[in-house]
Amino acid sequence: MSRVIDVLNGPNLNLLGQRQPEIYGHETLADIRAMLENRATISGIEIGFFQSNHEGAIIDRIHAARGKADGIIINPAAHTHTSVAILDALKTFEGPVVEVHLSNVHQRETFRHHSYVSQRADGVIAGLGTLGYRAALDFLIQRLEA
Ligand code: DQA
């Protein structure tokens, strides 16, 4: 059975490439998806890809990943700093979780310095741009292959 990594993206990330490119870069979410799918294919891994501007939809997607996905990469976007509900949902998921931020949140406003999600994440990547997603995938593939 093929392994599945679910890649979840929170609010406003649908506008990646147009949204504050000086902070988030020029690549789009579709570019990230294509890059991850290319990398995953080499290892025979399937990528599930999801973006929502709605907290509840992200929670539903995490529930759907239970027992189905082998790992989660999540950029919860602004929900990172506010959502106990996403943290609780991730705590119901049994596999490894990597939290990714395109920007270095620790270099930005203080309200971005705290993450609820980090309490559950096995790893946290910030400030590497789209390469952060790629690093997260490499980590999870290594975990699955171990
Ligand atoms: C972000 C950082 C968050 O603080 C912000 O709300 C985002 C994107 C990032 O990828 O750098 O929407 O998660």
Side-chain angles (χ1 to χ4, degrees):
M1 214 175 69
S2 131
R3 306 280 216 154
V4 179
I5 305 286
D6 231 8
V7 184
L8 313 181
N9 294 282
N12 302 304
L13 291 170
N14 54 312
L15 295 181
L16 213 58
Q18 301 166 46
R19 170 197 185 203
Q20 296 180 279
E22 68 287 0
I23 294 174
Y24 298 115
H26 292 278
E27 282 179 279
T28 65
L29 210 54
D31 294 331
I32 294 174
R33 182 180 190 159
M35 181 256 293
L36 295 177
E37 284 174 348
N38 281 340
R39 170 67 188 92
T41 303
I42 299 166
S43 298
I45 283 164
E46 203 182 306
I47 294 290
F49 204 86
F50 181 77
Q51 188 276 330
S52 179
N53 294 323
H54 305 279
E55 187 176 13
I58 296 165
I59 292 164
D60 288 343
R61 178 70 183 220
I62 294 167
H63 293 176
R66 297 176 71 239
K68 299 227 168 57
D70 297 287
I72 287 179
I73 296 171
I74 184 164
N75 182 347
H79 290 315
T80 307
H81 319 297
T82 60
S83 184
V84 176
I86 289 178
L87 168 63
D88 285 349
L90 287 169
K91 283 181 175 173
T92 74
F93 179 74
E94 39 309 274
V97 173
V98 183
E99 175 184 347
V100 173
H101 300 285
L102 293 151
S103 64
N104 180 359
V105 283
H106 301 289
Q107 211 170 49
R108 301 179 63 194
E109 303 97 318
T110 46
F111 65 82
R112 294 185 204 276
H113 296 181
H114 177 260
S115 163
Y116 283 101
V117 171
S118 293
Q119 202 183 99
R120 165 61 182 88
D122 295 278
V124 181
I125 300 170
L128 301 188
T130 59
L131 190 64
Y133 285 83
R134 168 68 194 250
L137 181 61
D138 282 347
F139 167 77
L140 290 175
I141 289 173
Q142 205 172 66
R143 268 278 184 106
L144 293 179
E145 287 175 348

